[in-house]
Structures are given as structure tokens and as C-alpha cells.
């Protein structure tokens, strides 16, 4: 066990617990618990959004991918800034103006019906649980590798901390933690960048140049693969870009801000942070290849996930290694807290309050159910993570993004922008997108190996158009059905895009 690393992790966790305790003073209502009362500023929410996406997978995964596969590893970084540009242009402001606590609220602003809300809630729940299991498994494995802590112990401790954050702090505490974590990660990455650049004579592209000199120009040039490999890369990028607009824990962040303008501002702040952060990752990847070596990186972890911590150790010794390890663990905790809030909202608000109880639930009761749901989902995710330790994490990640891109994303976009969309189309899109995305992953290479029936590891290239096709077909089939048409589209458009950019407070949004 690395005593220094454990001490730094404990210190950062102590700070997050102090932030949660402070936030608990505000977390007294359903509005505060689910969306921080809709009072978060644009730049603060931008930092929190950055905290969601500057994850362990980004920092460790992309750095390791560049170290092991060269320039091809950088393709993984392209999707996130592109996704937030689409969010800024397409969905941030209308989602803020239509929603209240969850993604299902935005759809319910146009279509009544407990069945559709329940379907949206179940889709959100499935996506969030899959994503949560990924974080738990990754946290457990990284705790083993970085801190020397046993996998079950790490998962249980992290689950307990996530439950504390969710129950006590709610979205207020989660926002504080995300902002703190984003700031710490940015400062740590900047310090590592300065040290690496200084090590190469002040030249930030020095690691790339040295890698080309030592290992050949192939490490800095895109590899030419076959048709299947090229389509898989396109599908991966497509799934990440579009799937981001369907991830509940990311999109709910736009409901925490004061108005539509703050939603746009937060997306812009997040994009600038992503741009700077992701540009540094190839530098870290090539520096790790030079300083640590491919053999040592693979010996630690076959996927290269310890390339960044090992680079920190080579450049700054055990102290910098410990700081990087601590930041990575707090990063995972922050993402889990956001996932727990989104999941508890889908259960307590959409399923329990609206679908089961028809809205006849007091705010105090809904808050209690939301806190209980957060604790329950933590227990479920811990149990699944303990069982899923040996599963391919890439498979779970592909599944989460594919489901989000093929189900919740098409329904949200069509609800906001297509006049002829109706409730039947929404249900058809959810079901069709879910069947296509899950089914193609199950018959793809991640599950069936060489005997696969579908050649792509990420099915977004097929499942996303299929989800839209099902929504379009379902809408045409129910054309003329007044009950399926929902509320007048012009009324929804006025609320989604108000003149002057002003939007109603969260407390006045539809239930």
C-alpha cells in the first residue's frame, strides 16, 4: 500500500465531505436536491460540467491509448468537445426551459401520459446504472493498482461515500464537489504539463518529436485500417457525440442553472476547458511512451490506464504520483455523485411520484423517496460491480453511449424540434432504439468475439438512425390521433425559445 497516495486521497475526500456538510444546510427541498434550486451560475455549472467529463476515463484512458496506439488514441478525445458544441447549438437552452428535475419532464412538457414518462425514466435508469457500474469497477481496479487497496473494499467504501454525498448534499453538494474536483484536476494537469514541457527543453511538442525519432513516424500518424476499422472509428465518435446529449447525469446539469442564457454560458465554459485539457493529453501520452516505456505501461495495465500516473512518478516522484492517484479517485467519486442524483430523480420523481402516484405526493415525501432511492441504487450498483469485475469495461461503455444516443437523445431532439412528432413516435423511438443498441452490442465483437454477427464494437452508426426511423414511423402511424398529438407545438416552442431569452424559475416549471 502506497501510504503517501492513501494520505493524499484521504485529504481530498475530507475536503469533499466538508463541502457536502456545508451543502446539506441548503439541501432541504426537492428543488435543491434534484437541481440545486436552479440557482447555479453559468461559469460554475460550466466547471461542474467539465468535472463530469474530465473523468478518469478521459485522463487515464486517452493518455494510455496515445501511449500504446499513437495518434489513433487521440480519436477518443474528439467526441467530447464536439458533443458540447452540439449541446450549445441544439439542446442546452430549450432543455433548461422545458425541464424541471429530469429528462422525462422535458418530454412531458409536450406529451402527457404516465407510460411515456415511465419509459423515459426506465431508459434513463438503465443508462445511469450501466455508467455507474463502469465507474465502480474502474474505481475498484484503480484503487488496487494505485493505492494497493483490495477491490471489494474500495468499491464498498466508494459506494458509501457516494451515498453520503447524495443523501446529505444532493445536487448542491454534487455541484460543489464537481467544481472542486475540476479545479484540482486542471491544476494537477497543468503542473504535470509544465514539468513535462520543462523536461523537453520548454518545447510542448518535444515528446511527440522524440517518440517519432525513437519509434518511427508511425506513432504520430493516423493508421490506415480496413473498412470495418474505419467504420468502427466513425461509429465510436458518433456514439460519443450523440450519446452525450442523452446521458441523464450530464443533461440534468442544464436544469440547475438560472435561465437559458446561463445554460448556453455553461456549455461554452465547459468547451473551453475541454479544449485546453484534451490538447494536453497527447503530450502526456507520448511523454509516457518515452519516459515509462510501452512494456512497463502494459505490465501495469493492458489497456494503458496507468500511463499518466506512471509518467507523474517518472517526472515528479512518488508525491506527484500520489497527487495524480488521489485526483483520479476523487474524479470517480464526483461522477458517481452526479449519476446517483440523476438516477434517484428518475426513480422518485418520474416513476414513484408521477407514474405510480399520479402526482399526489408531497414535496417532503418525494425528497424522502429520492434519498432512499439514491441509497438503494448505490447498493445495487455495488453488487453489480462486485460481480462485473472481470467484464470488459469498454463493452459497458459502448453499451451506455449506444443506448443514450439511440433512445433518450432522439426523443429529446424530436420533442423540441419536430412539429409532427407525437407520443406514439416517442414510445416507438425509445423501444426501437433500445432494442437496436443493446441487440447489436450483444451480437457484436465485444460479446461474441470472432464469431460475431455484427462487425462493429459500437453500434451507433446503425442504432441511432434506427431509433430516429422508429420515432418517425411511429409518428406517421399515429398521424391524426388527437390524443397522441399532445399539447400544441407552438405553445411548446414559445416556452423552449422565449423571446429575449428569459425563462421561468424551476419552481414554476411543469410537474
Amino acid at each position: 500500500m502506497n501510504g503517501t497516495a492513501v494520505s493524499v486521497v484521504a485529504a481530498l475526500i475530507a475536503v469533499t465531505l466538508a463541502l457536502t456538510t456545508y451543502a446539506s444546510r441548503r439541501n432541504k427541498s426537492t428543488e435543491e436536491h434534484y437541481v440545486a434550486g436552479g440557482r447555479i451560475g453559468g461559469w460554475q455549472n460550466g466547471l461542474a460540467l467539465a468535472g463530469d467529463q474530465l473523468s478518469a476515463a478521459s485522463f487515464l484512458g486517452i493518455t494510455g491509448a496515445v501511449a500504446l496506439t499513437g495518434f489513433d488514441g487521440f480519436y477518443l478525445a474528439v467526441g467530447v468537445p464536439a458533443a458540447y458544441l452540439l449541446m450549445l447549438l441544439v439542446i442546452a437552452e430549450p432543455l433548461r426551459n422545458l425541464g424541471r428535475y429530469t429528462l422525462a419532464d422535458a418530454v412531458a412538457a409536450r406529451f402527457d401520459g404516465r407510460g411515456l414518462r415511465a419509459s423515459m425514466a426506465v431508459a434513463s435508469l438503465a443508462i445511469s446504472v450501466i455508467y455507474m457500474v463502469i465507474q465502480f469497477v474502474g474505481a475498484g481496479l484503480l484503487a488496487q493498482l494505485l493505492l494497493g487497496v483490495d477491490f471489494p473494499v474500495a468499491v464498498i467504501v466508494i459506494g458509501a461515500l457516494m451515498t453520503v454525498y447524495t443523501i446529505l448534499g444532493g445536487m448542491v453538494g454534487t455541484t460543489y464537489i464537481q467544481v472542486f474536483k475540476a479545479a484540482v484536476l486542471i491544476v494537477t494537469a497543468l503542473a504535470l504539463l509544465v514539468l513535462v514541457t520543462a523536461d523537453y527543453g520548454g518545447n510542448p511538442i518535444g515528446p511527440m518529436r522524440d517518440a517519432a525519432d525513437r519509434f518511427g513516424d508511425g506513432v504520430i500518424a493516423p493508421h490506415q485500417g480496413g473498412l470495418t476499422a474505419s467504420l468502427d472509428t466513425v461509429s465510436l465518435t458518433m456514439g460519443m457525440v450523440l450519446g452525450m446529449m442523452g446521458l441523464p447525469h450530464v443533461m440534468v446539469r442544464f436544469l440547475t442553472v438560472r435561465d437559458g442564457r446561463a445554460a448556453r454560458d455553461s456549455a461554452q465554459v465547459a468547451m473551453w476547458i475541454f479544449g485546453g485539457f484534451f490538447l494536453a493529453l497527447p503530450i502526456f501520452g507520448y511523454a509516457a511512451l518515452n519516459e515509462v516505456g510501452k512494456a512497463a505501461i502494459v505490465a501495469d495495465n493492458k489497456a494503458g490506464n496507468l500511463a499518466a500516473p506512471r509518467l507523474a512518478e517518472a517526472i515528479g516522484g512518488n508525491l506527484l504520483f500520489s497527487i495524480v492517484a488521489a485526483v483520479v479517485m476523487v474524479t470517480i467519486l464526483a461522477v458517481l455523485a452526479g449519476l446517483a442524483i440523476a438516477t434517484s430523480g428518475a426513480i422518485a420523481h418520474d416513476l414513484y411520484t408521477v407514474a405510480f402516484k399520479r402526482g399526489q405526493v408531497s414535496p417532503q415525501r418525494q425528497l424522502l423517496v429520492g434519498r432512499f432511492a439514491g441509497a438503494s441504487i448505490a447498493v445495487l450498483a455495488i453488487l453489480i460491480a462486485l460481480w462485473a469485475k472481470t467484464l470488459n469495461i469498454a463493452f459497458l461503455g459502448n453499451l451506455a453511449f449506444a443506448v443514450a444516443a439511440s433512445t433518450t437523445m432522439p426523443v429529446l431532439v424530436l420533442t423540441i424540434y419536430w412539429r409532427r412528432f407525437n407520443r406514439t413516435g416517442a414510445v416507438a423511438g425509445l423501444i426501437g432504439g433500445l432494442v437496436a443498441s443493446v441487440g447489436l452490442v450483444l451480437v457484436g465483437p465485444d460479446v461474441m468475439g470472432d464469431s460475431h454477427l455484427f462487425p462493429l464494437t459500437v453500434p451507433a452508426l446503425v442504432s441511432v438512425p434506427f431509433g430516429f426511423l422508429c420515432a418517425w414511423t411511429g409518428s406517421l402511424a399515429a398521424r391524426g390521433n388527437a390524443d397522441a398529438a399532445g399539447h400544441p407545438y407552438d405553445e411548446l416552442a414559445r416556452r423552449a425559445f422565449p423571446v429575449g431569452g428569459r425563462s421561468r424559475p424551476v419552481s414554476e416549471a411543469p410537474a
Side-chain angles (χ1 to χ4, degrees), residues 239-260:
M240 184 173 292
V241 171
L242 299 180
M244 203 75 71
M245 292 199 297
L247 289 179
H249 73 286
V250 175
M251 301 312 297
V252 164
R253 282 240 144 255
F254 290 110
L255 304 181
T256 66
V257 294
R258 300 186 181 101
D259 50 32

mmCIF file of all heavy atoms in Angstrom, residues 239-260:
data_model
loop_
_atom_site.group_PDB
_atom_site.id
_atom_site.type_symbol
_atom_site.label_atom_id
_atom_site.label_comp_id
_atom_site.label_asym_id
_atom_site.label_seq_id
_atom_site.Cartn_x
_atom_site.Cartn_y
_atom_site.Cartn_z
ATOM 1 N N GLY A 239 -21.284 7.746 -31.589
ATOM 2 C CA GLY A 239 -21.915 7.340 -30.342
ATOM 3 C C GLY A 239 -21.561 8.254 -29.194
ATOM 4 O O GLY A 239 -22.411 8.603 -28.365
ATOM 5 N N MET A 240 -20.301 8.692 -29.142
ATOM 6 C CA MET A 240 -19.878 9.571 -28.052
ATOM 7 C C MET A 240 -20.513 10.956 -28.188
ATOM 8 O O MET A 240 -21.022 11.527 -27.212
ATOM 9 C CB MET A 240 -18.358 9.686 -28.038
ATOM 10 C CG MET A 240 -17.809 10.502 -26.889
ATOM 11 S SD MET A 240 -15.998 10.451 -26.798
ATOM 12 C CE MET A 240 -15.731 8.754 -26.351
ATOM 13 N N VAL A 241 -20.510 11.513 -29.407
ATOM 14 C CA VAL A 241 -21.035 12.858 -29.621
ATOM 15 C C VAL A 241 -22.536 12.907 -29.348
ATOM 16 O O VAL A 241 -23.031 13.765 -28.605
ATOM 17 C CB VAL A 241 -20.734 13.329 -31.054
ATOM 18 C CG1 VAL A 241 -21.467 14.628 -31.360
ATOM 19 C CG2 VAL A 241 -19.237 13.513 -31.255
ATOM 20 N N LEU A 242 -23.285 11.978 -29.956
ATOM 21 C CA LEU A 242 -24.733 11.994 -29.801
ATOM 22 C C LEU A 242 -25.171 11.397 -28.468
ATOM 23 O O LEU A 242 -26.175 11.823 -27.894
ATOM 24 C CB LEU A 242 -25.385 11.242 -30.966
ATOM 25 C CG LEU A 242 -25.113 11.836 -32.358
ATOM 26 C CD1 LEU A 242 -25.803 11.017 -33.436
ATOM 27 C CD2 LEU A 242 -25.550 13.290 -32.424
ATOM 28 N N GLY A 243 -24.420 10.407 -27.989
ATOM 29 C CA GLY A 243 -24.775 9.794 -26.711
ATOM 30 C C GLY A 243 -24.653 10.745 -25.554
ATOM 31 O O GLY A 243 -25.421 10.673 -24.581
ATOM 32 N N MET A 244 -23.705 11.698 -25.652
ATOM 33 C CA MET A 244 -23.545 12.676 -24.584
ATOM 34 C C MET A 244 -24.819 13.482 -24.383
ATOM 35 O O MET A 244 -25.170 13.872 -23.271
ATOM 36 C CB MET A 244 -22.375 13.604 -24.912
ATOM 37 C CG MET A 244 -21.750 14.271 -23.721
ATOM 38 S SD MET A 244 -20.727 13.132 -22.781
ATOM 39 C CE MET A 244 -19.352 12.919 -23.891
ATOM 40 N N MET A 245 -25.544 13.736 -25.494
ATOM 41 C CA MET A 245 -26.779 14.519 -25.406
ATOM 42 C C MET A 245 -27.942 13.690 -24.869
ATOM 43 O O MET A 245 -29.053 14.212 -24.736
ATOM 44 C CB MET A 245 -27.154 15.079 -26.778
ATOM 45 C CG MET A 245 -26.197 16.137 -27.275
ATOM 46 S SD MET A 245 -26.922 17.162 -28.581
ATOM 47 C CE MET A 245 -27.210 15.960 -29.856
ATOM 48 N N GLY A 246 -27.695 12.430 -24.543
ATOM 49 C CA GLY A 246 -28.728 11.597 -23.958
ATOM 50 C C GLY A 246 -28.374 11.064 -22.587
ATOM 51 O O GLY A 246 -29.175 10.367 -21.963
ATOM 52 N N LEU A 247 -27.154 11.374 -22.098
ATOM 53 C CA LEU A 247 -26.746 10.902 -20.775
ATOM 54 C C LEU A 247 -27.477 11.710 -19.701
ATOM 55 O O LEU A 247 -27.284 12.923 -19.596
ATOM 56 C CB LEU A 247 -25.233 11.047 -20.591
ATOM 57 C CG LEU A 247 -24.346 10.104 -21.395
ATOM 58 C CD1 LEU A 247 -22.880 10.400 -21.120
ATOM 59 C CD2 LEU A 247 -24.649 8.638 -21.086
ATOM 60 N N PRO A 248 -28.291 11.082 -18.879
ATOM 61 C CA PRO A 248 -29.102 11.833 -17.901
ATOM 62 C C PRO A 248 -28.279 12.690 -16.955
ATOM 63 O O PRO A 248 -28.625 13.852 -16.699
ATOM 64 C CB PRO A 248 -29.862 10.733 -17.155
ATOM 65 C CG PRO A 248 -29.929 9.601 -18.121
ATOM 66 C CD PRO A 248 -28.630 9.645 -18.880
ATOM 67 N N HIS A 249 -27.186 12.139 -16.419
ATOM 68 C CA HIS A 249 -26.440 12.896 -15.411
ATOM 69 C C HIS A 249 -25.737 14.111 -16.010
ATOM 70 O O HIS A 249 -25.423 15.060 -15.286
ATOM 71 C CB HIS A 249 -25.433 11.988 -14.697
ATOM 72 C CG HIS A 249 -24.243 11.602 -15.525
ATOM 73 N ND1 HIS A 249 -24.304 10.689 -16.545
ATOM 74 C CD2 HIS A 249 -22.950 12.010 -15.480
ATOM 75 C CE1 HIS A 249 -23.115 10.538 -17.087
ATOM 76 N NE2 HIS A 249 -22.268 11.334 -16.460
ATOM 77 N N VAL A 250 -25.492 14.109 -17.320
ATOM 78 C CA VAL A 250 -24.911 15.270 -17.982
ATOM 79 C C VAL A 250 -25.996 16.293 -18.308
ATOM 80 O O VAL A 250 -25.872 17.481 -18.000
ATOM 81 C CB VAL A 250 -24.163 14.851 -19.264
ATOM 82 C CG1 VAL A 250 -23.673 16.079 -20.024
ATOM 83 C CG2 VAL A 250 -22.991 13.950 -18.913
ATOM 84 N N MET A 251 -27.087 15.825 -18.925
ATOM 85 C CA MET A 251 -28.127 16.751 -19.374
ATOM 86 C C MET A 251 -28.876 17.398 -18.211
ATOM 87 O O MET A 251 -29.332 18.548 -18.315
ATOM 88 C CB MET A 251 -29.107 16.017 -20.289
ATOM 89 C CG MET A 251 -28.455 15.398 -21.522
ATOM 90 S SD MET A 251 -27.353 16.527 -22.407
ATOM 91 C CE MET A 251 -28.506 17.781 -22.929
ATOM 92 N N VAL A 252 -29.014 16.683 -17.102
ATOM 93 C CA VAL A 252 -29.698 17.267 -15.938
ATOM 94 C C VAL A 252 -28.959 18.500 -15.435
ATOM 95 O O VAL A 252 -29.561 19.397 -14.839
ATOM 96 C CB VAL A 252 -29.839 16.196 -14.831
ATOM 97 C CG1 VAL A 252 -30.181 16.823 -13.489
ATOM 98 C CG2 VAL A 252 -30.923 15.188 -15.221
ATOM 99 N N ARG A 253 -27.665 18.586 -15.711
ATOM 100 C CA ARG A 253 -26.895 19.754 -15.278
ATOM 101 C C ARG A 253 -27.448 21.048 -15.865
ATOM 102 O O ARG A 253 -27.315 22.115 -15.274
ATOM 103 C CB ARG A 253 -25.430 19.602 -15.684
ATOM 104 C CG ARG A 253 -24.670 18.686 -14.772
ATOM 105 C CD ARG A 253 -23.505 19.427 -14.117
ATOM 106 N NE ARG A 253 -23.335 18.949 -12.750
ATOM 107 C CZ ARG A 253 -23.692 19.617 -11.683
ATOM 108 N NH1 ARG A 253 -24.272 20.786 -11.794
ATOM 109 N NH2 ARG A 253 -23.493 19.124 -10.492
ATOM 110 N N PHE A 254 -28.049 20.979 -17.041
ATOM 111 C CA PHE A 254 -28.608 22.186 -17.645
ATOM 112 C C PHE A 254 -29.885 22.637 -16.937
ATOM 113 O O PHE A 254 -30.363 23.750 -17.175
ATOM 114 C CB PHE A 254 -28.884 21.963 -19.127
ATOM 115 C CG PHE A 254 -27.625 21.854 -19.952
ATOM 116 C CD1 PHE A 254 -27.249 20.651 -20.508
ATOM 117 C CD2 PHE A 254 -26.812 22.956 -20.140
ATOM 118 C CE1 PHE A 254 -26.090 20.548 -21.257
ATOM 119 C CE2 PHE A 254 -25.642 22.859 -20.889
ATOM 120 C CZ PHE A 254 -25.278 21.652 -21.445
ATOM 121 N N LEU A 255 -30.442 21.783 -16.076
ATOM 122 C CA LEU A 255 -31.616 22.168 -15.303
ATOM 123 C C LEU A 255 -31.240 22.866 -13.999
ATOM 124 O O LEU A 255 -32.118 23.354 -13.291
ATOM 125 C CB LEU A 255 -32.470 20.934 -14.992
ATOM 126 C CG LEU A 255 -32.929 20.100 -16.183
ATOM 127 C CD1 LEU A 255 -33.771 18.927 -15.720
ATOM 128 C CD2 LEU A 255 -33.691 20.950 -17.184
ATOM 129 N N THR A 256 -29.954 22.911 -13.689
ATOM 130 C CA THR A 256 -29.526 23.509 -12.424
ATOM 131 C C THR A 256 -29.247 25.007 -12.540
ATOM 132 O O THR A 256 -29.011 25.659 -11.524
ATOM 133 C CB THR A 256 -28.248 22.823 -11.904
ATOM 134 O OG1 THR A 256 -27.160 23.104 -12.804
ATOM 135 C CG2 THR A 256 -28.437 21.321 -11.795
ATOM 136 N N VAL A 257 -29.258 25.541 -13.759
ATOM 137 C CA VAL A 257 -28.875 26.941 -13.942
ATOM 138 C C VAL A 257 -30.093 27.857 -13.880
ATOM 139 O O VAL A 257 -31.231 27.412 -13.919
ATOM 140 C CB VAL A 257 -28.138 27.138 -15.289
ATOM 141 C CG1 VAL A 257 -26.812 26.411 -15.272
ATOM 142 C CG2 VAL A 257 -28.997 26.658 -16.454
ATOM 143 N N ARG A 258 -29.841 29.175 -13.807
ATOM 144 C CA ARG A 258 -30.895 30.148 -13.579
ATOM 145 C C ARG A 258 -31.818 30.317 -14.777
ATOM 146 O O ARG A 258 -33.020 30.504 -14.623
ATOM 147 C CB ARG A 258 -30.274 31.504 -13.234
ATOM 148 C CG ARG A 258 -29.395 31.480 -11.989
ATOM 149 C CD ARG A 258 -28.938 32.885 -11.641
ATOM 150 N NE ARG A 258 -28.078 32.878 -10.458
ATOM 151 C CZ ARG A 258 -26.755 32.956 -10.506
ATOM 152 N NH1 ARG A 258 -26.145 33.052 -11.667
ATOM 153 N NH2 ARG A 258 -26.032 32.948 -9.409
ATOM 154 N N ASP A 259 -31.257 30.288 -15.997
ATOM 155 C CA ASP A 259 -32.075 30.534 -17.179
ATOM 156 C C ASP A 259 -31.369 29.967 -18.404
ATOM 157 O O ASP A 259 -30.296 29.355 -18.309
ATOM 158 C CB ASP A 259 -32.340 32.036 -17.364
ATOM 159 C CG ASP A 259 -31.064 32.877 -17.299
ATOM 160 O OD1 ASP A 259 -30.007 32.376 -17.714
ATOM 161 O OD2 ASP A 259 -31.136 34.028 -16.822
ATOM 162 N N GLY A 260 -31.991 30.176 -19.582
ATOM 163 C CA GLY A 260 -31.440 29.647 -20.817
ATOM 164 C C GLY A 260 -30.073 30.216 -21.150
ATOM 165 O O GLY A 260 -29.206 29.520 -21.672
#
